[in-house]
Amino acid sequence: MNQPINAPQLPPPPLRRRWTGSRVTGHVLVALWAVAGAYLLYYLASNLLSSFVANYWDDYLEGVVITIQLVVMSILLGAVLSLPIALARSSRNIVLSSIAYTYVYFFRGTPLLAQTFLIYYGAGSFQPLFSDLGIWWFFRDAWYCAVFAFTLNTSAYQAEILRGSVQNVDRGQWEAASALGIRKGVTFWKVILPQALIVALRPYGNELILLIKGSAIASIITIYDLMGETRRAYSRSYDFQAYIWAAVLYLMVVETLRRIWEKLEIRLTRHLKRNG
Amino acid sequence: MTDAFTLLSFGSDGWGDEIARGTLITVSLALASLPFGLVIGFVVALGKKSDEPSLRTAANIYTTIFRGLPELLTLFLVYYGVQILLNKVYQLFVPGSFVDVNAFVAGMVALSMVFSAYASEAFLSAFRGIKQGQYEGGYALGLRRGQTLRLIVFPQLIRLALPALGNLWLILLKETALISVIGLDDLLRWSGIAARVTKEPFLFFGVACLIYLLLAMISSIGLTWIRTWAQRGEGLR
């Protein structure tokens, strides 16, 4: 039994993991989720050839497309609108900044559903006026009203994200740019904004997901987005799987987006990571 | 056109008392969901910060589901799903009978589940703000795990989690508006009824929005007060 002195040492044996209370609970809970998931898969698979799927599958896909259109349009228009609001909010002019503050406070402090109702039904109070102005066609249409309401809502949130992230950029960046003789506007677009947007990436992602979930509200003002198609399918078939399919589709959309956003964030901030 | 003040007055010609009753329902729904959401959220956060991987997985699945689903869909899933489930169970014992799920309870369950999923994240990040030394100090004093958690970690945790939980409360208050869709007579539903009857939609939905704003303002004041109370031991910095 004479081993050479510098023989590789074996690692110590792994500690035996005991069945503590939390381990048992954890395994039971995971097992419960697994059973629920397996049952869900079985339920969906067994219904794949049912008449419900045959009848409504195309409607669901159309609903997904409508939801995505609604969200993309509102997010982009909201992003455009958020810029002047954020500028006004951080302006030194008291009138301008208090108007922007009130706007943001109103849209962040009231439910999206109430805002949508206020715009879609509330426009009816001004029908003669809007007809004279020639914009009644806009407020008569549920689709335009939904896009309008969501745009206003998300622009308030996006303005706050933008403002917060611009303020987060170090003052020295402004000073350095002005020392180099760069004008303020150029400094904002070329120096400050790119740095601010990196900070804003995560809140923007959250806002996008919140808007996708919030867009389900459009179904209440008769828009056939994913939720609207679901409600129609349920009211025609009285089959509960209508809601199950919607849940699966929404979860898929949101999870995919969240994963993509995570990858995007890692990619865009790779210059900030230190090696090792 | 009738005067706006007449329409909003209390009594038989005005809608003031109906709207006040709706506001009460809105507030009580939010207040009723809050404790369940907080407790479930705390338990889920404990699961997420546990050393046990299976417990973490179970907790993460819970938050993924309830943060990924639209609140409106969660509400429908609970409202119709629980109704179907309860009826199936009930009919095993009493054939031919029918139970109706209360819209208030369905809303409470759905809102607490959504709230707890977000609250667990708030608690989790608060847990991260508490140094390991606090636990070790507790164990060194001979306290058991539960006692350390209750007497040492929890008071600090509340302070760290309060800002995020305050935001979640404001979100919860707004989300109660969804309950009007399944027919509970809350603030938004009464405004809708009043708008349809009087043909003054802008007035009534505008008033509803202002009441929600007022509730948010009152909540902010209350939250500031709670935060000052929670930080009373910190002294001046």
Side-chain angles (χ1 to χ4, degrees):
Chain A
M1 296 295 277
N2 46 355
Q3 279 184 347
I5 283 171
N6 46 7
Q9 278 219 326
L10 289 175
L15 285 173
R16 214 162 47 107
R17 297 186 59 213
R18 288 187 306 150
W19 283 94
T20 55
S22 64
R23 195 165 171 216
V24 173
T25 323
H27 278 73
V28 168
L29 287 176
V30 169
L32 281 179
W33 277 124
V35 168
Y39 179 72
L40 180 71
L41 279 182
Y42 164 75
Y43 180 79
L44 294 181
S46 65
N47 278 310
L48 214 52
L49 297 173
S50 69
S51 60
F52 181 88
V53 173
N55 285 338
Y56 297 109
W57 185 245
D58 292 337
D59 294 345
Y60 271 82
L61 289 186
E62 274 170 35
V64 171
V65 172
I66 295 279
T67 293
I68 291 174
Q69 276 177 353
L70 189 61
V71 170
V72 169
M73 273 180 79
S74 317
I75 277 279
L76 292 180
L77 291 174
V80 174
L81 193 60
S82 72
L83 196 64
I85 298 168
L87 284 178
R89 179 96 163 71
S90 42
S91 137
R92 283 207 199 90
N93 186 334
I94 290 184
V95 179
L96 216 56
S97 69
S98 43
I99 290 174
Y101 179 78
T102 315
Y103 178 90
V104 169
Y105 197 87
F106 179 81
F107 281 102
R108 299 208 319 164
T110 55
L112 181 56
L113 185 61
Q115 293 161 17
T116 314
F117 281 173
L118 185 66
I119 288 169
Y120 182 57
Y121 296 119
S125 297
F126 305 107
Q127 188 183 350
L129 177 69
F130 286 167
S131 299
D132 288 346
L133 288 173
I135 50 171
W136 178 239
W137 58 270
F138 184 90
F139 288 98
R140 203 184 48 196
D141 191 304
W143 169 259
Y144 290 127
C145 281
V147 173
F148 189 55
F150 291 175
T151 301
L152 294 184
N153 181 275
T154 187
S155 73
Y157 283 94
Q158 288 190 40
E160 281 304 277
I161 295 172
L162 198 60
R163 195 180 65 95
S165 56
V166 167
Q167 275 181 354
N168 194 44
V169 176
D170 194 22
R171 272 187 60 81
Q173 299 283 332
W174 285 100
E175 288 160 5
S178 95
L180 287 171
I182 301 173
R183 268 182 291 119
K184 268 204 146 174
V186 179
T187 310
F188 179 74
W189 285 105
K190 301 258 163 166
V191 180
I192 305 298
L193 202 59
Q195 300 182 68
L197 286 182
I198 283 183
V199 180
L201 204 59
R202 185 172 285 256
Y204 266 128
N206 287 341
E207 172 61 17
L208 185 58
I209 286 173
L210 281 183
L211 196 63
I212 291 178
K213 298 191 335 179
S215 73
I217 281 173
S219 67
I220 299 172
I221 58 165
T222 69
I223 286 178
Y224 290 106
D225 68 332
L226 177 51
M227 191 69 199
E229 292 290 358
T230 307
R231 280 164 47 118
R232 181 155 68 177
Y234 183 71
S235 66
R236 284 187 184 163
S237 64
Y238 283 106
D239 196 341
F240 188 64
Q241 59 171 307
Y243 287 110
I244 306 281
W245 285 109
V248 170
L249 286 173
Y250 268 113
L251 271 185
M252 266 162 49
V253 170
V254 168
E255 267 309 289
T256 318
L257 201 76
R258 212 170 56 86
R259 295 276 154 85
I260 293 175
W261 210 266
E262 224 163 62
K263 287 263 151 52
L264 194 73
E265 196 175 336
I266 292 171
R267 168 105 191 139
L268 287 178
T269 56
R270 67 193 189 284
H271 61 287
L272 299 173
K273 297 255 166 23
R274 294 186 181 195
N275 292 324
Chain B
M1 187 179 138
T2 338
D3 193 13
F5 286 108
T6 329
L7 286 176
L8 291 174
S9 67
F10 286 70
S12 53
D13 3 311
W15 290 87
D17 40 349
E18 279 85 357
I19 288 179
R21 219 179 308 145
T23 311
L24 202 65
I25 299 255
T26 292
V27 173
S28 44
L29 179 63
L31 281 177
S33 317
L34 183 68
F36 293 103
L38 283 176
V39 170
I40 301 172
F42 185 71
V43 171
V44 174
L46 280 182
K48 276 189 188 173
K49 74 172 261 300
S50 158
D51 297 328
E52 171 59 39
S54 60
L55 214 52
R56 285 203 301 267
T57 316
N60 281 330
I61 293 174
Y62 180 84
T63 36
T64 308
I65 291 177
F66 288 108
R67 296 205 309 169
L69 288 179
E71 290 78 10
L72 190 60
L73 185 59
T74 313
L75 190 63
F76 281 128
L77 280 173
V78 170
Y79 187 55
Y80 295 120
V82 170
Q83 188 141 343
I84 290 169
L85 212 68
L86 272 185
N87 275 319
K88 275 200 179 146
V89 173
Y90 203 62
Q91 275 165 5
L92 286 180
F93 299 105
V94 194
S97 60
F98 187 77
V99 268
D100 213 11
V101 172
N102 187 328
F104 189 91
V105 175
M108 217 174 86
V109 172
L111 289 177
S112 338
M113 288 199 294
V114 176
F115 183 89
S116 64
Y118 283 97
S120 74
E121 288 292 310
F123 280 125
L124 186 66
S125 60
F127 266 123
R128 294 213 178 101
I130 292 171
K131 293 202 184 76
Q132 194 58 32
Q134 298 286 331
Y135 296 90
E136 287 162 4
Y139 301 146
L141 288 171
L143 298 178
R144 264 178 271 122
R145 273 170 62 119
Q147 286 176 317
T148 312
L149 195 65
R150 188 161 49 88
L151 298 172
I152 294 178
V153 176
F154 194 67
Q156 305 182 53
L157 190 76
I158 292 298
R159 206 151 53 207
L160 289 173
L162 253 182
L165 291 178
N167 279 338
L168 288 178
W169 161 255
L170 294 175
I171 293 174
L172 175 68
L173 206 55
K174 290 191 285 171
E175 272 169 4
T176 55
L178 296 176
I179 197 80
S180 62
V181 179
I182 58 169
L184 192 70
D185 291 330
D186 77 330
L187 170 56
L188 197 59
R189 190 168 150 84
W190 272 121
S191 321
I193 294 170
R196 223 172 309 135
V197 172
T198 61
K199 301 220 166 31
E200 288 285 345
F202 193 78
L203 173 70
F204 280 105
F205 287 123
V207 166
C209 282
L210 289 182
I211 293 176
Y212 278 112
L213 269 189
L214 195 71
L215 292 178
M217 281 179 200
I218 297 171
S219 307
S220 314
I221 295 170
L223 286 168
T224 315
W225 184 80
I226 294 176
R227 217 169 294 162
T228 334
W229 173 82
Q231 286 173 345
R232 73 200 180 284
E234 285 198 344
L236 294 173
R237 290 253 163 96

